[in-house]
Amino acid sequence: MSDPRIGGEFLAVAWAALGGDPALLDRVTADGDADLPSPFAVGDLALGAVGAQCLAAEELAAGDGPVPPVVLDARHVGIAFRSERFALRDGVPAGAGFAPLSRFLRAGDGWVRLHANYPQHHAAALRALGPDPASAVAERAAQDVEDAVVAAGGVAAVVRTEQGWARHPQGAAVRDLPLLRLDQVAAGRRRVTDLRGLRVLDLTRVIAGPVGTRTLASYGADVLRVDSPRSLEDPAALLDTGPGKRHVDLDLADPGDRARFEELLGGADVLVQGYRPGALAAFGLGADELAMRLPELIVVSLSAWGAAGPWARRRGFDSIVQAASGIADATRGSDGTPGTLPAQALDHAAGHLIAATVLRAVMRRAAVGGTWHGSLSLAQLAAWLLAAPRGPADQAPPVAVDPAPYLVDLDTSSGTPTVVRPPGSPVWAHGARRVTPAQARWESR
């Protein structure tokens, strides 16, 4: 897969980080164009991430036999990277998207991006900025706005230039990190686990982590997503990212819910978590503790900013990483307004790489044994985009395409969701299914 138009460079970097055999890269090809126009190599990112996931799945399924070719439908990949835009509930658009305050605001000396999709983050922005955020931001320095919103528990970022991000301590810390990591953190016995029925405990939300676990569910993994009843997910988001999974609300601070969680954790093969670094350690669920307690558990961790640097524990989302890292500045419109990538591409690429990391870890655990942990961040993917070769700044708009050939209706107990089929993997057996804590059990294998 040497042609960069079909994800060759990104696939090679990701596959090497996963410890994959480079001789398998030529098994992956793509048909068509992902149609994700940007001066940044977004198509390369998308096709490479999905290619790594599909190649890892084919390698695992092949066992000791030859790995079959992987042929990606590039247009399908491009639509899948915008899947939240096409989700329907009973034929009506589901409405997942950005809240009114999740936008760029002009400050006194530049621009700031806010993220206020969740009620607690919206409330934090209002605490920091008052009832008229746009007017308040216009009268303040961008850095002051970022500092105030973050101090209030909200999510904001100055729209920095690439050079400004490179000079920033967090930008420098991320620059020194690899694209992703998959490490054997302890020796141990070999364990062979079939992909179908693989038990995956999902502690993620928004887009990236849920895309990773919904991808595993499409291969037949038994995925159980755990949310906190104190901060419930947007139902429209769950419609798109929940297919193939069961969903349960558990409060880890409640003794009964914690006991049920521990029971689930003890029976899991994989834990995928998207909490900020160190957040789970407060519950005795840090990576080191898990490695000691459950040495055969595969753990894959996702964060916004990476595990190193002063922002390691800061909240962040795809749009915020784009703003802070220089991507928004580099894609400004003709009127000077900061721009965006043609999709939440950092999120979606991270999701497919999460799935690839889990699949490779399952294979490595079967081959050599031991305890395997993986990690990646949205900021590390942004760093790759910023360093990759670029096209012209003036890009043609996306081609209007009918998504219908790539959509599927799923079965649920409450209506019919219509979602984008997973690119390169089987269609889910069902839509998102909610269960009570008493019903939250692993399915028999």
Side-chain angles (χ1 to χ4, degrees):
M1 191 170 181
S2 59
D3 187 344
R5 292 175 300 174
I6 56 174
E9 183 181 345
F10 185 82
L11 173 61
V13 173
W15 194 243
L18 292 169
D21 180 357
L24 294 176
L25 292 175
D26 63 2
R27 309 300 291 159
V28 185
T29 58
D31 179 21
D33 190 321
D35 193 27
L36 295 169
S38 172
F40 291 100
V42 179
D44 194 24
L45 176 76
L47 290 166
V50 176
Q53 164 228 307
C54 292
L55 184 58
E58 293 290 358
E59 183 188 32
L60 180 61
D64 295 330
V67 177
V70 172
V71 181
L72 302 176
D73 179 340
R75 177 161 290 183
H76 187 181
V77 170
I79 289 174
F81 263 55
R82 295 170 287 162
S83 63
E84 63 274 10
R85 304 181 191 180
F86 302 111
L88 307 173
R89 180 184 286 108
D90 295 328
V92 178
F98 287 109
L101 194 53
S102 294
R103 59 191 175 100
F104 294 109
L105 294 175
R106 187 187 290 274
D109 60 350
W111 292 84
V112 176
R113 176 87 190 209
L114 301 182
H115 193 287
N117 278 26
Y118 287 101
Q120 66 270 29
H121 298 156
H122 181 270
L126 295 184
R127 285 197 302 272
L129 304 172
D132 186 359
S135 297
V137 170
E139 297 174 355
R140 301 171 68 170
Q143 186 62 62
D144 289 344
V145 174
E146 178 186 283
D147 291 343
V149 173
V150 171
V155 187
V158 172
V159 176
R160 292 174 171 81
T161 64
E162 296 175 61
Q163 296 76 19
W165 182 241
R167 293 190 298 269
H168 191 279
Q170 189 60 37
V174 170
R175 191 170 59 247
D176 293 334
L177 296 175
L179 178 69
L180 59 87
R181 297 188 65 95
L182 176 59
D183 298 311
Q184 184 184 28
V185 298
R189 70 183 184 93
R190 298 179 185 179
R191 182 178 174 189
V192 178
T193 308
D194 289 337
L195 179 52
R196 181 162 293 279
L198 185 76
R199 294 173 172 178
V200 180
L201 196 56
D202 178 3
L203 272 65
T204 69
R205 58 190 316 172
V206 197
I207 296 176
V211 165
T213 52
R214 83 175 179 192
T215 300
L216 295 170
S218 75
Y219 287 114
D222 181 12
V223 181
L224 187 56
R225 170 168 161 168
V226 177
D227 280 304
S228 168
R230 304 182 188 188
S231 181
L232 298 179
E233 184 63 283
D234 177 3
L238 285 179
L239 186 79
D240 174 53
T241 62
K245 311 178 198 178
R246 291 174 297 141
H247 301 251
V248 63
D249 297 333
L250 295 175
D251 184 350
L252 297 186
D254 176 83
D257 283 1
R258 178 59 186 266
R260 177 49 51 87
F261 176 82
E262 288 291 340
E263 180 182 346
L264 294 170
L265 182 63
D269 300 303
V270 178
L271 172 67
V272 179
Q273 71 91 11
Y275 287 81
R276 287 173 288 159
L280 289 180
F283 296 97
L285 299 170
D288 292 341
E289 294 93 332
L290 289 173
M292 293 181 63
R293 289 175 51 200
L294 301 163
E296 295 183 351
L297 180 71
I298 293 168
V299 179
V300 177
S301 300
L302 168 75
S303 65
W305 304 106
W311 284 14
R313 299 192 179 190
R314 179 173 289 204
R315 297 175 181 87
F317 299 89
D318 184 311
S319 60
I320 297 296
V321 174
Q322 288 188 43
S325 66
I327 291 174
D329 178 74
T331 53
R332 284 180 182 270
S334 58
D335 62 354
T337 303
T340 62
L341 299 177
Q344 298 289 291
L346 304 179
D347 267 334
H348 282 273
H352 290 283
L353 290 179
I354 286 170
T357 303
V358 169
L359 296 170
R360 285 287 301 157
V362 169
M363 184 167 183
R364 297 302 295 152
R365 188 178 63 177
V368 301
T371 302
W372 291 84
H373 287 185
S375 63
L376 67 160
S377 73
L378 303 182
Q380 286 162 263
L381 295 179
W384 182 88
L385 273 181
L386 289 162
R390 300 182 197 176
D394 186 15
Q395 297 279 323
V399 176
V401 60
D402 179 10
Y406 301 104
L407 300 179
V408 62
D409 293 337
L410 298 175
D411 174 57
T412 70
S413 60
S414 57
T416 301
T418 302
V419 296
V420 178
R421 291 187 287 109
S425 58
V427 173
W428 304 281
H430 55 78
R433 290 181 175 172
R434 184 159 293 282
V435 298
T436 67
Q439 296 168 329
R441 309 276 184 185
W442 294 116
E443 296 178 347
S444 59
R445 300 200 248 225

